[in-house]
Amino acid sequence: MTLVSGWGRFPVVDSEVLRPRSFEAVGAAVADVTGSVARGNGRAYGDAAIGVSRTIAMTGFDRVRSFDPATGRIRLEAGVLLSDLIDTFGPRGFLPFVVPGTRFVSVGGAIAADVHGKNHHGEGGFGRYVDSILLRTGAGETIEISRGQNPDAFFATVGGMGLTGIILEATMRLRTVETGWIRERVIPASDLDAAMRALEASEAATYSVAWIDCVARGRDLGRSLIYLGEHASADELTEGADRFPVGKNPGLAVPIDLPSVTLNRFSIRAFNELYYRMGARRAGGDHVVSLYPYFFPLDSIADWNRIYGRRGFLQHQCVIPEAGARNVLGDILDRVSKRGDASFLAVLKKLGHGDGLLSFPRPGYTLALDFPVKGDILNFLDEIDRLVVAAGGRLYLAKDARQSRATFEAGYPALPRFNAIRKSLDPARNIRSKLSQRLFDEV
């Protein structure tokens, strides 16, 4: 048994960890014990990729099976990391259509969470560009699923948090690009209303995201920097610049768990003030930047999750339907600013429709906030959950480590259909995670 956690380092639980080297071994690992789940690169924040009794590490399955440059269609194993996919195929003019905030996630994990990026409002989530999946079910079958073949299983697997079976391979489409650079525009917003107006006015942009100063209060509540982006063409690069920048390994690292007092009202306020002023200075025109800092700002710091201390942190990511978003987001930010211990990287984005039965996105606004695990944080987040549920919103399962079953069920109306499909694929419930034990499985 090994102590295992998600990226938030909370909770930490015992699980047997296996690292199979063949698909046959994966099947055997599922068949001979109840309570297994696949694990990619461990970037789900909570307990989604931890088995009730056994965790099956899939990063050893990292081969590309085929690639067609005429169509951008690629067949690859589930353990391939997006970082390797970008570094290998980017210089050839191909990138994933959708990337989350870190490139160090596996393809299988990206499908299971149906990850979304800065372009969800216009181009949808990761699963929209997956054509087919090779799935090992809990019942012991290996099946190919797609929109036309076993569609129920396909739409339950996209966003299904690994609970329909073990994703072995996938066929997906890549986007063609001229360069690995992004034409970025920064728009300062003095408060939440201005930030939401800027995002509304920028719906035609391919990429859009807002950083929010989550400790600003009063008339500055919700002040933000909106980052818009488009893929840069070759003629927009400076003379002599490589068409595709090199994806460097993190240059900085957090070598120890920082003391819990490091993140406090004063340190976060000082950081946010500096960050806002530096960002505002870049407003007023377009800048060509590498895709790496634009899409993956925290990847430059190794082990950044240690900033929150040895007890770990919780990320609360909700989506609120547009109709009530302004009031609810304002209420949440006001409560967070009064606490003063939320993250230095709070994010607001617009989302469109999700594709999977349990895909997190729905039309509206998503707000992501980090909190160190200390004090009354669990009770505080329960209060925030009640605001989200009352507004018809929900929480992102890939970031969750503590929401209640009632909150989950209220936010995901397709859950009964998902449960029926899951039961048909795995009647004995061999596939079970700590997340499913907490939220899905019969008590």
Side-chain angles (χ1 to χ4, degrees):
M1 302 296 288
T2 303
L3 290 175
V4 186
S5 71
W7 185 247
R9 305 174 73 203
F10 176 89
V12 180
V13 297
D14 277 324
S15 178
E16 180 187 17
V17 178
L18 295 186
R19 302 182 184 278
R21 295 301 180 189
S22 69
F23 289 164
E24 291 76 15
V26 171
V30 172
D32 69 358
V33 69
T34 299
S36 298
V37 78
R39 181 181 179 90
N41 204 35
R43 289 300 180 113
Y45 279 50
D47 51 6
I50 305 172
V52 169
S53 55
R54 175 175 288 173
T55 301
I56 302 173
M58 296 293 291
T59 50
F61 299 99
D62 58 358
R63 293 173 294 181
V64 172
R65 296 292 194 178
S66 64
F67 175 64
D68 182 358
T71 62
R73 186 168 279 107
I74 187 169
R75 179 82 172 185
L76 67 180
E77 293 178 339
V80 173
L81 300 185
L82 294 191
S83 58
D84 294 329
L85 191 61
I86 292 167
D87 292 346
T88 301
F89 289 91
R92 303 181 187 185
F94 295 93
L95 289 175
F97 272 92
V98 174
V99 294
T102 175
R103 67 189 191 275
F104 300 122
V105 299
S106 69
V107 167
I111 295 170
D114 193 19
V115 296
H116 55 275
K118 298 173 175 65
N119 58 336
H120 195 279
H121 62 284
E123 296 187 320
F126 195 88
R128 188 165 298 181
Y129 304 96
V130 174
D131 290 338
S132 65
I133 298 166
L134 186 66
L135 185 74
R136 177 75 181 201
T137 71
E141 295 182 287
T142 299
I143 58 175
E144 190 83 15
I145 58 177
S146 67
R147 290 169 180 79
Q149 182 179 358
N150 296 313
D152 283 351
F154 180 82
F155 288 109
T157 298
V158 172
M161 303 310 298
L163 298 177
T164 60
I166 310 296
I167 298 172
L168 302 176
E169 292 183 358
T171 301
M172 54 184 285
R173 286 159 281 144
L174 301 180
R175 178 201 302 274
T176 57
V177 295
E178 284 190 36
T179 77
W181 300 82
I182 300 295
R183 184 174 70 256
E184 177 189 72
R185 175 172 294 181
V186 182
I187 303 173
S190 59
D191 56 25
L192 179 60
D193 288 317
M196 295 179 72
R197 285 196 301 268
L199 288 172
E200 289 281 354
S202 305
E203 285 197 334
T206 302
Y207 301 105
S208 64
V209 64
W211 166 87
I212 290 189
D213 181 352
C214 57
V215 295
R217 300 182 65 181
R219 65 180 184 181
D220 295 328
L221 182 73
R223 72 170 178 175
S224 307
L225 297 169
I226 291 84
Y227 295 91
L228 308 181
E230 303 291 341
H231 289 281
S233 61
D235 58 12
E236 294 179 84
L237 304 185
T238 58
E239 186 176 354
D242 291 333
R243 286 202 176 194
F244 204 89
V246 176
K248 298 178 180 178
N249 291 326
L252 299 174
V254 181
I256 60 171
D257 297 331
L258 297 186
S260 59
V261 297
T262 303
L263 290 181
N264 55 61
R265 183 184 303 272
F266 305 104
S267 63
I268 295 175
R269 190 179 301 280
F271 175 88
N272 285 6
E273 183 67 32
L274 177 63
Y275 192 89
Y276 183 80
R277 288 178 180 271
M278 291 177 63
R281 289 175 187 167
R282 301 183 64 236
D286 293 347
H287 310 269
V288 176
V289 300
S290 164
L291 70 89
Y292 294 99
Y294 183 80
F295 290 121
F296 317 116
L298 286 177
D299 280 354
S300 61
I301 306 173
D303 301 323
W304 64 262
N305 53 352
R306 304 184 76 172
I307 292 173
Y308 291 93
R310 65 179 179 82
R311 296 180 64 185
F313 73 99
L314 297 162
Q315 183 167 110
H316 187 279
Q317 183 167 4
C318 63
V319 59
I320 308 294
E322 289 193 48
R326 169 58 184 88
N327 290 337
V328 177
L329 291 172
D331 194 351
I332 292 173
L333 288 170
D334 184 58
R335 295 175 188 231
V336 170
S337 68
K338 289 176 181 177
R339 285 185 63 90
D341 62 353
S343 68
F344 52 86
L345 189 66
V347 173
L348 179 70
K349 292 185 292 192
K350 289 205 72 177
L351 298 179
H353 289 280
D355 292 309
L357 291 177
L358 296 187
S359 293
F360 165 69
R362 57 164 299 169
Y365 286 87
T366 179
L367 176 67
L369 297 161
D370 295 344
F371 300 87
V373 178
K374 64 179 183 180
D376 66 341
I377 187 58
L378 295 177
N379 291 333
F380 176 75
L381 293 179
D382 286 342
E383 294 176 13
I384 302 302
D385 288 354
R386 286 191 281 273
L387 298 177
V388 173
V389 170
R394 57 188 176 216
L395 305 187
Y396 189 15
L397 292 174
K399 302 291 183 69
D400 175 58
R402 35 65 49 194
Q403 73 172 300
S404 70
R405 188 172 293 224
T407 296
F408 168 60
E409 291 176 350
Y412 288 86
L415 179 61
R417 184 181 172 199
F418 173 86
N419 283 336
I421 297 169
R422 180 187 174 201
K423 186 175 182 180
S424 71
L425 296 170
D426 182 18
R429 292 289 169 89
N430 287 330
I431 305 294
R432 297 176 65 219
S433 66
K434 287 293 184 180
L435 179 140
S436 77
Q437 186 180 51
R438 176 166 56 91
L439 298 179
F440 291 75
D441 299 336
E442 296 177 1
V443 179

